[in-house]
Amino acid sequence: MYYGNIKMYDIADGEGCRVTLFVSGCTNCCKECFQRETWDFHYGQPYTKETEDYLIECLKDENIQGLTLLGGEPFEPENQKELIHLLRRVRKELPHKDIWSYTGFVLDRDLLEGQRKHTDVTYEMLSYIDVLVDGPFIAEKKNLALYFRGSENQRVIDMNRTREEKNIILYHD
């Protein structure tokens, strides 16, 4: 896996002050994507054990509320296989930090068992995520007044309540 950027003290991609990892590789190719360069699976730098260690160290800062995964596309099967290790470590070493992830895929259409982007680690990956922003960016539905998303079709899902209630529950900030 490759990544395009790591942002420390990000306040745009989730609640509070966050560490954000922008992974590389995306097959959604949304029209007017704000990071087209990240569609390339080899854009940026290789994601290594040292990268993961650096992210964990950054997350230890008491001013950081949590981790956000962006892209590119964190739920591309190739990326899931690497990101699961990071998410396991965050939950084990920093259980008080929250985890947000953005995906251009739709939770109940693409990521659940038997669906096109489901892998052997998708369920576990989703189990660690507190908030999932799902759905492709649709330029014709762009709305700059929305919190944590760019187009009106995208959902900000409270994954903890969704798991509890076995029904998609939207997150309200």
Side-chain angles (χ1 to χ4, degrees):
M1 183 178 86
Y2 281 69
Y3 70 98
N5 194 12
I6 294 172
K7 275 189 183 177
M8 188 73 178
Y9 306 114
D10 182 359
I11 58 169
D13 299 309
E15 282 195 333
C17 197
R18 316 189 65 72
V19 172
T20 303
L21 173 64
F22 293 81
V23 300
S24 296
C26 184
T27 57
N28 289 313
C29 304
C30 299
K31 178 181 165 189
E32 295 185 30
C33 174
F34 77 107
Q35 298 212 111
R36 293 176 71 98
E37 64 276 5
T38 65
W39 295 357
D40 179 351
F41 282 84
H42 293 99
Y43 171 75
Q45 303 172 38
Y47 181 88
T48 63
K49 174 77 165 83
E50 290 74 25
T51 308
E52 186 175 295
D53 291 343
Y54 174 72
L55 288 164
I56 295 294
E57 282 306 309
C58 289
L59 285 163
K60 290 179 181 177
D61 183 321
E62 66 184 33
N63 297 306
I64 298 297
Q65 181 171 324
L67 171 70
T68 298
L69 302 175
L70 286 172
E73 175 55 64
F75 281 91
E76 289 291 354
E78 303 90 316
N79 293 339
Q80 290 184 49
K81 290 176 184 1
E82 286 298 324
L83 291 172
I84 193 64
H85 303 292
L86 172 63
L87 296 182
R88 285 174 183 152
R89 280 189 69 188
V90 172
R91 279 293 174 242
K92 181 179 179 185
E93 297 174 34
L94 303 159
H96 58 287
K97 302 290 182 173
D98 64 11
I99 300 172
W100 285 51
S101 183
Y102 285 73
T103 180
F105 301 122
V106 177
L107 174 63
D108 45 338
R109 185 184 72 205
D110 301 316
L111 299 177
L112 300 181
E113 190 169 348
Q115 296 172 337
R116 68 187 186 110
K117 295 297 177 173
H118 184 84
T119 72
D120 59 336
V121 297
T122 306
Y123 179 78
E124 182 182 2
M125 194 167 157
L126 289 167
S127 77
Y128 298 133
I129 293 172
D130 298 291
V131 178
L132 181 72
V133 182
D134 82 338
F137 172 75
I138 297 176
E140 294 76 22
K141 294 185 177 193
K142 182 178 180 177
N143 183 341
L144 298 177
L146 300 171
Y147 288 109
F148 310 124
R149 57 197 172 121
S151 60
E152 293 172 354
N153 63 294
Q154 295 172 313
R155 302 178 295 183
V156 183
I157 301 171
D158 181 328
M159 291 299 293
N160 295 319
R161 290 192 55 216
T162 293
R163 284 186 291 274
E164 285 173 16
E165 298 185 26
K166 296 180 180 21
N167 191 26
I168 292 177
I169 306 296
L170 299 181
Y171 179 82
H172 299 285
D173 54 306

